[in-house]
């Protein structure tokens, strides 16, 4: 038996081809197989290892391509005389792992904040969907179909900076049907999520020292995005009807505004709905003072009462609204497909800016989403999810009333996937969140909603991503984790 055979071991842990490639490389690296040494024929090696000969042929071909082996017609396969560099020599003493940068830069404290990760078994999160309900089988099938059929040079190459046309076309039909828009594919830019869409809008349309407006309690990433753009942040009071448009009007009389960020459908963080009269007045102000409205419609599809109010964008006759949505709140945050809707001229301008930070999105994912939009899978999934989330909202509300009514107050939201929960002032919400986490439950401590003018001692408690049993456990942990101020 050729001695090389005894050096090769086949294990059931990974593919035979990968194992043989790795083992041959290691034998060459360690000098056990030396330059110029002849290897057994593919037929002989296959017979001895009791594997298919074609597997050995592919192993030899791969190693030849990598430079480890050389093949001589009529003579056989040999260890290459010109091997890849096996033992590279360091040209200086290996430094320790670097922590401090060797160059100067200016830190930006406003962008520093912890990254929330799903590290706890139980969670009352910001209002995320339940990935267990996602149409993963259908999406996987659509993804596989797109990656294996059609013109792969086009599919797997560079595409349109605005996003795959098939998705933009299907999305236009869907948004026209469900949100009363009147748009075509040319009015849509596909992005990786609301954060990217908002960043691009600031990059394209907001200049340093521009005045921009947000609700007094608002999406933290929105505020940070405006600060990153160098804009002057104007906080507008909010109440049970969302942003106070009368207060916004007073600001407009005093200074020019470039952009106003709003979440009218389910106000963030309070989940309240901006009423029709405020919506109309906001559009009138935008028309009069010519500012941009960035409408973040992060969970339009999840509304539990009567037919929801249509977006501001559906009544925008002046081309002043940029409408943002995302499938991350419909399917799962891991699927990074969002969209911006606006006038064609603005979308073209945004696409040029998108190209300098992200040439294009995930073509395969975008085509897969287009397929499940076209065949109705996504709409069926959303209807099913809506029913499930409505039931979970009811369960969670009953649990809060039964176990925490002495400590929290809330208004049952008409939509969305979380409840804005106000804690008794005697409760230390930050300490409570820390203790809850130690006990196996994640909740936000609500500190991101605090400001010098306002400390609501409240947070968003998401119910959609937990089933009934998990909601019961979560409320039980939350109750015994309450920390009272001394």
């Amino acid at each position: 038996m050729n001695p090389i055979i005894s050096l090769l071991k086949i294990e059931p842990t990974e593919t035979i081809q990968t194992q043989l490639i790795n083992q041959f490389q290691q034998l060459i690296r360690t000098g056990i197989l030396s330059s110029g040494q002849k290897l057994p024929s593919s037929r002989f090696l296959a017979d001895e290892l009791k594997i298919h000969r074609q597997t050995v042929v592919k192993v030899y071909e791969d190693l030849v391509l990598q430079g480890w082996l050389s093949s001589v017609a009529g003579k056989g396969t040999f260890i290459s005389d010109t091997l890849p560099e096996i033992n590279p020599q360091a040209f200086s003493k290996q430094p320790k792992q670097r922590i401090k940068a060797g160059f100067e830069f200016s830190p930006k404290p406003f962008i520093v904040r912890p990254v929330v990760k799903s590290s706890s078994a139980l969670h009352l999160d910001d209002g995320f969907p339940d990935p267990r309900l996602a149409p993963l089988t259908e999406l996987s099938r659509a993804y596989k179909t797109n990656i294996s059929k059609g013109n792969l040079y086009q599919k797997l190459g560079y595409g349109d900076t605005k996003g795959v046309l098939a998705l933009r076309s299907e999305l236009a039909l869907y948004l026209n049907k469900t949100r009363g828009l009147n748009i075509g594919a040319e009015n849509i830019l596909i992005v990786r999520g609301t954060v990217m869409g908002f960043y691009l809008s600031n990059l394209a349309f907001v200049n340093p020292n521009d005045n921009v407006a947000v609700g007094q309690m608002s999406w933290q990433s929105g505020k940070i995005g405006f600060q990153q753009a160098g804009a002057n942040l104007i906080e507008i009071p909010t109440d049970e009807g969302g942003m106070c448009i009368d207060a916004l009007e007073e600001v407009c009389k005093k200074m020019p505004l470039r952009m106003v960020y709003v979440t009218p459908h389910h106000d963030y963080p309070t989940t309240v709905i901006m009423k029709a009269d405020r919506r109309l007045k906001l559009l009138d102000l935008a028309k009069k003072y010519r500012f941009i409205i960035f409408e973040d419609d992060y969970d339009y599809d999840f509304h539990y009462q009567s037919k929801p109010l249509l977006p501001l964008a559906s009544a925008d006759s002046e081309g002043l609204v940029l409408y943002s949505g995302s499938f991350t709140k419909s399917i799962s945050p891991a699927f990074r497909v969002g969209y911006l809707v606006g006038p064609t001229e603005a979308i073209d301008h945004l696409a040029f800016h998108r190209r300098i930070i992200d040439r294009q999105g995930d073509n395969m994912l975008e085509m897969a989403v287009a397929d499940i939009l076209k065949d109705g899978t996504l709409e069926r999934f959303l209807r099913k999810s809506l029913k499930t989330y409505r039931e979970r909202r009811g369960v969670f509300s009953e649990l809060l009333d039964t176990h925490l009514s002495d400590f929290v107050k809330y208004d049952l939201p008409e939509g969305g996937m979380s409840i804005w929960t106000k804690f008794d002032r005697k409760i230390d919400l930050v300490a409570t969140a820390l203790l809850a986490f130690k006990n196996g439950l994640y909740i936000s401590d609500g500190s991101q909603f605090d400001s010098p003018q306002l400390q609501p001692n409240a947070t968003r408690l998401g119910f959609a991503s937990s089933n009934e049993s998990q909601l019961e456990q979560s409320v039980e942990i939350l109750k015994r984790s309450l920390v009272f101020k001394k």
Side-chain angles (χ1 to χ4, degrees):
M1 182 176 71
N2 190 306
I4 292 177
I5 304 300
S6 64
L7 300 174
L8 301 172
K9 307 292 183 185
I10 304 298
E11 303 289 345
T13 54
E14 57 184 336
T15 65
I16 295 174
Q17 184 175 334
T18 300
Q19 290 184 67
L20 290 178
I21 289 173
N22 291 338
Q23 289 180 43
F24 271 118
Q25 290 176 346
Q26 184 61 20
L27 290 171
I28 296 170
R29 285 192 184 98
T30 56
I32 296 174
L33 297 180
S34 56
S35 297
Q37 185 173 347
K38 186 176 182 179
L39 297 182
S41 69
S42 58
R43 186 182 303 279
F44 178 83
L45 186 57
D47 288 343
E48 291 296 320
L49 295 176
K50 294 181 174 52
I51 61 177
H52 198 284
R53 182 190 175 196
Q54 195 60 34
T55 300
V56 179
V57 171
K58 289 181 179 178
V59 169
Y60 282 180
E61 288 177 347
D62 200 318
L63 290 169
V64 168
L65 287 173
Q66 293 183 43
W68 297 101
L69 305 181
S70 60
S71 180
V72 181
K75 292 186 177 181
T77 304
F78 302 83
I79 306 299
S80 177
D81 291 327
T82 56
L83 291 171
E85 188 177 9
I86 297 171
N87 296 308
Q89 299 297 310
F91 61 85
S92 64
K93 183 179 179 181
Q94 186 70 21
K96 295 181 180 179
Q97 182 181 7
R98 292 196 179 277
I99 297 176
K100 292 190 68 64
F103 50 87
E104 292 186 359
F105 62 94
S106 299
K108 298 178 179 179
F110 64 85
I111 70 172
V112 178
R113 54 181 173 148
V115 176
V116 177
K117 299 178 182 178
S118 302
S119 58
S120 181
L122 296 171
H123 40 78
L124 298 173
D125 50 42
D126 193 58
F128 300 147
D130 188 343
R132 293 169 295 190
L133 304 179
L136 300 181
T137 300
E138 296 85 349
L139 188 61
S140 176
R141 185 184 302 121
Y143 197 102
K144 184 177 179 180
T145 298
N146 276 290
I147 207 168
S148 60
K149 295 182 180 180
N151 188 329
L152 294 185
Y153 180 81
Q154 292 181 351
K155 286 186 174 184
L156 300 179
Y158 288 110
D160 195 323
T161 313
K162 296 178 184 177
V164 169
L165 178 59
L167 177 56
R168 291 187 288 123
S169 299
E170 290 299 329
L171 188 55
L173 295 174
Y174 176 73
L175 295 176
N176 290 343
K177 174 183 175 182
T178 60
R179 287 146 171 82
L181 304 186
N182 182 24
I183 59 171
E186 69 279 2
N187 296 112
I188 298 176
L189 175 71
I190 302 298
V191 292
R192 296 190 184 272
T194 301
V195 171
M196 181 177 181
F198 188 66
Y199 177 81
L200 283 173
S201 298
N202 285 331
L203 187 64
F205 303 121
V206 176
N207 296 314
N209 295 317
D210 279 349
N211 298 315
V212 296
V214 299
Q216 192 169 34
M217 286 191 299
S218 189
W219 183 42
Q220 192 175 18
S221 290
K223 292 182 177 181
I224 290 173
F226 280 140
Q227 289 176 281
Q228 170 63 26
N232 301 317
L233 197 63
I234 312 297
E235 295 189 355
I236 308 298
T238 56
D239 58 20
E240 67 281 355
M243 181 181 285
C244 297
I245 305 304
D246 288 343
L248 178 67
E249 183 177 19
E250 292 305 310
V251 171
C252 291
K253 292 176 182 178
K254 298 174 183 177
M255 64 184 72
L257 282 182
R258 179 56 173 166
M259 186 180 288
V260 175
Y261 171 83
V262 288
T263 52
H265 192 56
H266 299 134
D267 179 66
Y268 189 92
T270 66
T271 75
V272 300
I273 297 170
M274 182 183 287
K275 302 304 180 185
D277 58 335
R278 292 195 184 189
R279 294 176 183 235
L280 292 173
K281 185 167 185 177
L282 177 56
L283 288 169
D284 287 341
L285 288 178
K287 180 179 178 180
K288 180 177 180 180
Y289 294 102
R290 310 312 293 181
F291 58 74
I292 303 165
I293 298 173
F294 189 98
E295 181 177 15
D296 180 358
D297 207 355
Y298 59 95
D299 59 3
Y300 181 88
D301 291 299
F302 301 109
H303 198 79
Y304 310 118
Q305 303 301 319
S306 58
K307 189 175 181 180
L309 288 172
L310 292 175
L312 295 167
S314 68
D316 175 29
S317 60
E318 299 290 321
L320 292 168
V321 177
L322 293 175
Y323 180 76
S324 173
S326 172
F327 290 107
T328 64
K329 286 295 177 70
S330 301
I331 302 175
S332 171
F335 296 104
R336 306 306 301 168
V337 179
Y339 51 87
L340 272 180
V341 177
T344 303
E345 184 180 46
I347 294 299
D348 289 344
H349 186 60
L350 285 163
F352 291 133
H353 286 76
R354 187 253 170 84
R355 186 170 183 172
I356 64 176
I357 65 167
D358 186 26
R359 171 60 178 77
Q360 65 190 56
D362 184 335
N363 282 1
M364 292 297 104
L365 179 58
E366 290 179 20
M367 283 186 267
V369 173
D371 284 353
I372 65 172
L373 260 176
K374 186 175 183 178
D375 67 14
T377 294
L378 189 60
E379 285 194 72
R380 291 191 295 272
F381 156 70
L382 290 172
R383 285 195 295 269
K384 182 179 178 181
S385 298
L386 182 67
K387 181 176 181 295
T388 300
Y389 295 157
R390 182 191 288 114
E391 292 171 352
R392 291 179 181 179
R393 181 192 62 156
V395 168
F396 187 49
S397 173
E398 289 181 11
L399 289 168
L400 291 177
D401 291 343
T402 302
H403 300 286
L404 291 168
S405 60
D406 292 337
F407 311 109
V408 303
K409 292 184 179 180
Y410 67 93
D411 293 319
L412 190 66
E414 293 184 30
M417 292 181 278
S418 66
I419 291 180
W420 176 244
T421 310
K422 301 175 183 176
F423 286 73
D424 190 289
R425 290 287 177 181
K426 294 179 292 185
I427 294 173
D428 186 330
L429 187 49
V430 172
T432 295
L434 285 171
L435 182 56
F437 190 76
K438 291 179 181 178
N439 291 331
L441 170 70
Y442 167 79
I443 66 167
S444 166
D445 64 15
S447 59
Q448 69 267 38
F449 307 119
D450 291 348
S451 67
Q453 299 79 26
L454 191 67
Q455 291 87 39
N457 205 46
T459 193
R460 288 164 63 93
L461 298 180
F463 54 82
S465 59
S466 303
N467 60 31
E468 183 172 336
S469 173
Q470 291 169 328
L471 289 172
E472 291 174 353
Q473 295 176 66
S474 297
V475 171
E476 188 275 326
I477 291 175
L478 179 56
K479 184 177 181 179
R480 60 184 171 88
S481 300
L482 294 174
V483 177
F484 294 85
K485 297 176 181 177
K486 296 179 181 180

